Amino acid sequence: MDKIQLQALIIDKLYADLSIAKDALKASHEAATHAESKAENKYDTRGLEAAYLADGQRRRVAEIEVALASYRNLPMLELADEAIRLGALVSLELGGSSRWVFLGPDAAGLRVTMDDTEVLVISPQSPLGRALLGCREGDEGELRVEGRPQPYCVLSIC
């Protein structure tokens, strides 16, 4: 798989998410500042709720912008025959099925499809990311998912 193309797909997906988040921020800000959001009595919390929603949307926009910056500045090095580190594209067998994961600096949980293959973005802070850091091709281990052991094997590293 081409990691430069993967990086571009992740950035494109983040830009799409940013556009949606900015639209939601605009809508929530308008709702919070609209005349109908003004409290009619001391128990009316519509305006307060709208303000909380707008604040959450503002934080989401900031998180996506940070993720975009980290991916634009992430060098894509070939990591064959090296230990897994940030920027590694890893094929692994996990719980009896084969999957691709990309160890990125941010945006964990993001899924992109490249060459008809789904790639899951994970971060070093995730349990799987922590378990894979430092592993090499052929390494095996075990990850606990919902209290149950899930064996994994690193098939390849790009």
Side-chain angles (χ1 to χ4, degrees), residues 32 67 72-74 96 113 115 122 146-147 157:
R72 283 193 300 258
N73 296 318
L74 181 66
T113 302
D115 301 331
I122 61 173
E146 296 177 358
I157 303 168

Side-chain angles (χ1 to χ4, degrees), residues 1 10-11 19 35 52 57 64 81 95 102 107 118 127 131 137 145 152:
M1 281 197 193
I10 292 170
I11 289 171
S19 176
Y52 281 135
Q57 293 295 348
I64 295 171
D81 299 328
F102 178 76
E118 184 179 78
E137 200 170 296
V145 178
Y152 67 86

Side-chain angles (χ1 to χ4, degrees), residues 27 36 38-40 45 52 64 74-75 77 82 86 90 105 124 130 140-141 149 157-158:
E36 289 182 8
K38 185 178 179 189
E40 295 175 4
T45 61
Y52 281 135
I64 295 171
L74 181 66
L77 306 172
E82 291 188 33
L86 200 61
V90 182
R130 276 193 308 269
E140 296 180 1
I157 303 168
C158 303

